[in-house]
Each structure stands twice: as structure tokens, then as C-alpha cells.
Amino acid sequence: RNNLYHLLAGGIKGLPYFTWSCLSPGAWKEIKHQAPVVRKIGPVQWQLRPAQRKIGLLLPFTADCFRPTDHLIQPYAYANLMQGHFDVDPICEEEILNGYCKKYPVIMLYYIRWLPKKVVKALKKYIRGGGKVILDPTVPFDIPGAIRLKVDIGMGKEQTVGVPKGQAHLSRPGIND
């Protein structure tokens, strides 16, 4: 219940809900309890227009090309940031390449194992222009000028980078053509 209220307060407009093979009777009871709450505030919230978001959370298509399950992990960072009341929007590689990302003071990368060189080049340009790029420990490569966090923003645990230098290859995480 607390997560739902944090997400709603953070300005989220829709919620995906996954039902796994076994859902406890208590969970169904809670869903029935929350439905009227969402039904009441939904129409009002839908009409609200949020202020410009301050963080662009990169969710690249490239990652899915190499490992199709990565997109299942990346939403954890988005959910945690929203519940923490951070102003965050998901963005894609094209928004970085075409310069649209300049509207965000910060671009954050979470659980990105692969990234094309042209996107990294555009991120370097963004940094030179005064933007901030934040990498958490799940990103196995560095971008000059980026800020490296010690906490996994999706899972909330402190860790170090897990991929040694020299392992950027198409079959391994890294920056590629």
C-alpha cells in the first residue's frame, strides 16, 4: 500500500501489475481495497500536468538486443526513484543522440550492459555542455566525466563494478559499435 501511495505522489500516471502463478489471498484483498482509491484520484491526476522532470533515466533498446531480459530489471530503478519523489522520466538512446536530453539536468544509467559508441559520444558531449551523467555500480563501463554511485539504485545495495577492463565485446557487456 505504501508503495502505491508513493508512486501516486510521485506523479506516475499508470501502474503495470503482474500476477505471478501464485498470489496470496491477502494480495487480492489489498488490490480490491486499493481499486476505489485509484478510481477516485485517477481522473483528477490524469488532468494534472507535471513540471519538467529533472532526471532522464536511460532505458536503451540496445540492451534488449543483447539480453532481452534486461528490460525486466531496469524498471526497479524507475520505481525506486519515483517512490523517493525524484522527478524522473524514462528516455531512450534516440533522445540522447538527437539532443532532446538537454532538457534534463541529469541523465542516469542503471543496469545498462551494452551501449553504442555513438551514444557514449553524445553523453560525453552532454557532460561537456554542463549536464551530469550518473552511473550506478551495475553499469560495467565508465564514461569520462560521469559520476559513479556506490549504491545499486534498483536493488538498494552497495556494491562495486563487476566487469574488469578489457571485456567490452559484443558477447560481453561494454561499449560497442
Side-chain angles (χ1 to χ4, degrees):
R1 184 178 299 173
N2 192 41
N3 288 351
L4 172 66
Y5 294 143
H6 278 295
L7 288 168
L8 292 172
I12 199 160
K13 297 234 182 223
L15 294 171
Y17 194 82
F18 300 96
T19 54
W20 307 107
S21 58
C22 62
L23 194 58
S24 72
W28 283 115
K29 184 178 176 184
E30 184 64 21
I31 290 169
K32 287 177 186 176
H33 177 77
Q34 293 303 325
V37 173
V38 174
R39 210 172 284 122
K40 273 185 195 175
I41 66 169
V44 173
Q45 191 172 21
W46 188 255
Q47 293 178 32
L48 297 175
R49 295 292 171 246
Q52 172 57 46
R53 303 291 186 170
K54 297 194 177 7
I55 301 170
L57 178 65
L58 180 60
L59 302 174
F61 176 72
T62 302
D64 267 355
C65 292
F66 289 102
R67 191 165 152 188
T69 57
D70 281 1
H71 73 276
L72 298 173
I73 295 167
Q74 292 166 339
Y76 285 110
Y78 178 75
N80 286 345
L81 291 167
M82 287 296 291
Q83 289 180 52
H85 299 261
F86 287 93
D87 294 328
V88 62
D89 270 339
I91 62 171
C92 63
E93 293 164 330
E94 289 74 21
E95 291 173 288
I96 292 183
L97 293 172
N98 69 19
Y100 181 76
C101 65
K102 290 177 190 171
K103 72 179 199 167
Y104 301 101
V106 175
I107 295 175
M108 187 171 275
L109 280 67
Y110 170 70
Y111 205 82
I112 294 175
R113 306 295 195 190
W114 295 269
L115 207 55
K117 286 181 183 177
K118 62 185 177 182
V119 174
V120 173
K121 184 178 176 182
L123 286 170
K124 289 178 189 177
K125 181 179 177 184
Y126 168 81
I127 292 168
R128 285 192 306 272
K132 290 183 175 69
V133 172
I134 297 176
L135 314 172
D136 90 337
T138 63
V139 178
F141 50 83
D142 287 312
I143 297 173
I147 299 163
R148 174 72 69 174
L149 299 179
K150 291 182 181 178
V151 176
D152 177 326
I153 61 169
M155 300 301 160
K157 59 184 177 184
E158 192 169 334
Q159 63 185 44
T160 58
V161 177
V163 179
K165 271 189 165 186
Q167 288 196 6
H169 182 272
L170 289 178
S171 63
R172 296 186 205 112
I175 301 167
N176 303 294
D177 286 327

